[in-house]
């Protein structure tokens, strides 16, 4: 079996590849590099959007654009590229991590600790503490 590399991209911590079916593109993040990447295989077009802080996930929105799980909360990128903040919830020692969109269109976004200190880990949440997750309709 052989494989073909679709996109050569460097990242400090690349994660969360997600197919945006409506836009026909692949979306992924460089968490520590504070970047959201997209790639359209039909045209070869690539974009990189720099965020003002760590970005744990970028997921397609129903009406176009993206919803971002950031260090300090949730942000929205509208189809025209306009950025706006949906939630600002800074907690020292915590950043946004992975996220998923449920069948009903809601975003489930979880936090994680950025330090190894016990206090930070407790405030960050874990898979067992779903009440710490954020949920919105995308």
């Amino acid at each position: 079996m052989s494989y073909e590399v679709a996109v050569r991209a460097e990242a400090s911590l690349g994660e969360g590849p997600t197919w945006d079916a409506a836009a026909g593109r692949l979306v992924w993040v460089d968490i520590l590099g504070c970047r959201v990447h997209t790639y359209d295989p039909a045209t070869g077009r690539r974009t990189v959007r720099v965020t003002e802080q760590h970005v744990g996930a970028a997921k397609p929105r129903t009406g176009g654009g993206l919803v971002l799980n950031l260090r300090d909360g949730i942000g929205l990128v509208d189809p025209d590229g306009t950025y706006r903040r949906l939630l600002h919830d800074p907690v020292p020692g915590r950043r946004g991590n992975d996220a998923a969109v449920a069948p009903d269109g809601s975003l489930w976004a979880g936090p994680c600790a950025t330090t190894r200190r016990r206090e930070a880990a407790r405030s960050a949440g874990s898979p067992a503490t779903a009440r710490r997750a954020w949920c919105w309709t995308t």
Side-chain angles (χ1 to χ4, degrees), residues 93 113-122:
T114 58
T115 66
R116 294 183 188 262
R117 293 184 4 222
R118 250 190 207 147
E119 312 83 61
R122 265 192 241 115

Side-chain angles (χ1 to χ4, degrees), residues 83-103:
Y83 171 81
R84 55 197 165 103
R85 170 88 55 185
L86 180 63
L87 171 73
H88 188 241
D89 183 28
V91 174
R94 182 187 79 183
R95 68 165 171 80
N97 197 36
D98 205 0
V101 178

Side-chain angles (χ1 to χ4, degrees), residues 33-87:
C34 306
R35 287 171 168 71
V36 177
H37 296 263
T38 68
Y39 171 67
D40 181 334
T43 65
R45 183 170 188 259
R46 295 173 58 179
T47 66
V48 179
R49 181 184 188 93
V50 178
T51 61
E52 75 277 6
Q53 56 186 259
H54 293 157
V55 55
K59 301 299 176 187
R61 292 171 56 202
T62 302
L66 299 167
V67 58
L68 310 177
N69 191 14
L70 299 163
R71 181 191 65 218
D72 292 345
I74 304 294
L76 300 174
V77 178
D78 291 331
D80 66 1
T82 303
Y83 171 81
R84 55 197 165 103
R85 170 88 55 185
L86 180 63
L87 171 73

